Amino acid sequence: MPNQHDYGLVVLQTAADGTQTLSVCAKVVDGQPVATTASYTGKLHINLHANARFTSLGRARVSSDILEVFADSAGVVHVRQPATA
């Protein structure tokens, strides 16, 4: 798993067996991530912050905006709007 903060559009996909893939990418075409810069896969514990907006696109959820993604020391993947200075 990446351990830094990544920024981009987020695509969250869930397979029939419950396995999830969260991709951070430059753009989304037909619900699929393009130019992926980070990817998290497995039975993930994801904390979608209230300010992270998503739309459904088939079996995928796609962010409306560029988001910040990072994993904490407990393995929780956090997805939120980037902090502004």
Side-chain angles (χ1 to χ4, degrees), residues 22-72:
L22 186 148
S23 301
V24 181
C25 59
K27 67 179 181 175
V28 179
V29 176
D30 295 328
Q32 297 299 314
V34 177
T36 300
T37 57
S39 183
Y40 300 81
T41 303
K43 301 268 184 181
L44 302 174
H45 182 106
I46 301 172
N47 181 4
L48 295 176
H49 292 238
N51 63 7
R53 293 185 301 266
F54 285 82
T55 57
S56 294
L57 202 70
R59 295 191 73 157
R61 294 173 66 192
V62 179
S63 68
S64 304
D65 301 307
I66 291 175
L67 299 175
E68 176 181 22
V69 179
F70 63 97
D72 65 21

Side-chain angles (χ1 to χ4, degrees), residues 4-6 10-11 13 21 30 36-37 39 42 58-59 65 75 79 83:
Q4 74 275 1
H5 291 230
D6 293 292
V10 174
V11 177
Q13 299 169 310
T21 300
D30 295 328
T36 300
T37 57
S39 183
R59 295 191 73 157
D65 301 307
V79 180

